[in-house]
Amino acid sequence: EVQLVQSGAEVRKPGESLKISCKTSGYSFTGYWIGWVRQMPGKGLEWMGIIYPGDSDTRYSPSFQGQVTISADKSTSTAYLQWSSLKASDTAMYYCARRGFGARTFFFDFWGQGTLVTVSS
Amino acid sequence: QSALTQPASVSGSPGQSITISCTGTSSDVGYYNYDSWYQQHPGKAPKLIIYDVSRRPSGVSNRFSGSKSGNTASLTISGLQAEDEADYYCNSYTTSRTWVFGGGTKLTVL
């Protein structure tokens, strides 16, 4: 059974760093892209970026380039999203999602349960 | 890279059909046939309901269908049921090799 299990809710102060995780199981981690999606309170979904764990090829939305870092650890089948200096505007729910298999698939078929990040002084 | 344009809300009575539009540009919706749709109930993660414009994943009701014309993709839900009340998001792959979501549409079943 494919599963994406995200780390728990986090509360941080502005300027602090943070790394949240998305632990996968039930499939070959290195063979599928993993994306990250932001949902600010009461707002819509925003595509942030994606990583291919097989070779760490990573792409970012222009809106998030330089603001976050996406990484993956093949040894633990886990993808990460990190910030070096959080802002209050980073307060949101963050989802990881698996891209379907193959070069001609452009949808996200399995999703994590979400990680709520709250940034407040 | 701007979000795709969706109506903020739509509504319909049980048994009726509704259609949600998703307008992009010739660099995303209009370029590829890779549009997908996601359903999100309050407090839940999104769920894939349509991919590649009109294909349904296994287990998704055939009351959900997708189509496209030019730069506009559409999701139609027929035979509306109370459980269909949710937020719906379109998503498209772009010529920049990134993805973009629509702003989301809240469906109310009257």
Side-chain angles (χ1 to χ4, degrees):
Chain A
E1 178 193 7
V2 174
Q3 287 192 312
L4 284 71
V5 179
Q6 298 185 230
S7 48
E10 302 276 3
V11 179
R12 292 285 189 277
K13 290 181 167 48
E16 293 186 340
S17 63
L18 177 64
K19 191 174 188 177
I20 63 174
S21 65
C22 172
K23 183 167 179 58
T24 73
S25 60
Y27 73 96
S28 174
F29 180 65
T30 54
Y32 292 76
W33 294 77
I34 292 280
W36 287 93
V37 175
R38 182 175 80 175
Q39 187 166 38
M40 299 176 76
K43 302 298 184 183
L45 305 177
E46 299 174 89
W47 189 84
M48 301 177 69
I50 197 168
I51 187 166
Y52 186 69
D55 61 8
S56 295
D57 185 11
T58 310
R59 304 175 201 165
Y60 295 92
S61 162
S63 301
F64 292 94
Q65 179 81 48
Q67 308 304 307
V68 297
T69 301
I70 294 171
S71 60
D73 182 343
K74 290 188 279 191
S75 69
T76 59
S77 299
T78 302
Y80 297 95
L81 177 66
Q82 68 181 85
W83 296 259
S84 58
S85 180
L86 286 160
K87 309 186 228 356
S89 57
D90 293 318
T91 294
M93 180 72 81
Y94 293 88
Y95 294 100
C96 61
R98 189 189 80 164
R99 176 184 169 184
F101 182 76
R104 287 287 173 233
T105 59
F106 296 90
F107 53 85
F108 297 91
D109 55 0
F110 286 90
W111 292 67
Q113 83 277 19
T115 295
L116 181 63
V117 173
T118 303
V119 183
S120 174
S121 54
Chain B
Q1 183 174 336
S2 301
L4 308 175
T5 301
Q6 298 181 230
S9 63
V10 297
S11 62
S13 299
Q16 287 187 332
S17 295
I18 62 95
T19 296
I20 299 171
S21 62
C22 169
T23 301
T25 70
S26 56
S27 296
D28 39 62
V29 175
Y31 194 90
Y32 297 108
N33 288 323
Y34 297 140
D35 316 305
S36 53
W37 290 87
Y38 299 84
Q39 176 191 61
Q40 187 181 35
H41 286 108
K44 300 293 187 183
K47 172 190 173 185
L48 176 69
I49 57 173
I50 293 287
Y51 68 97
D52 292 357
V53 177
S54 60
R55 295 176 181 260
R56 277 188 311 277
S58 173
V60 173
S61 171
N62 59 9
R63 297 185 299 103
F64 294 91
S65 61
S67 62
K68 185 169 78 172
S69 177
N71 294 340
T72 298
S74 297
L75 172 70
T76 297
I77 308 174
S78 59
L80 269 179
Q81 299 179 1
E83 68 208 49
D84 299 332
E85 187 161 294
D87 294 326
Y88 292 85
Y89 295 90
C90 60
N91 181 258
S92 178
Y93 186 62
T94 80
T95 55
S96 300
R97 301 197 308 151
T98 58
W99 281 257
V100 61
F101 281 101
T105 298
K106 181 177 180 59
L107 169 61
T108 300
V109 180
L110 301 170

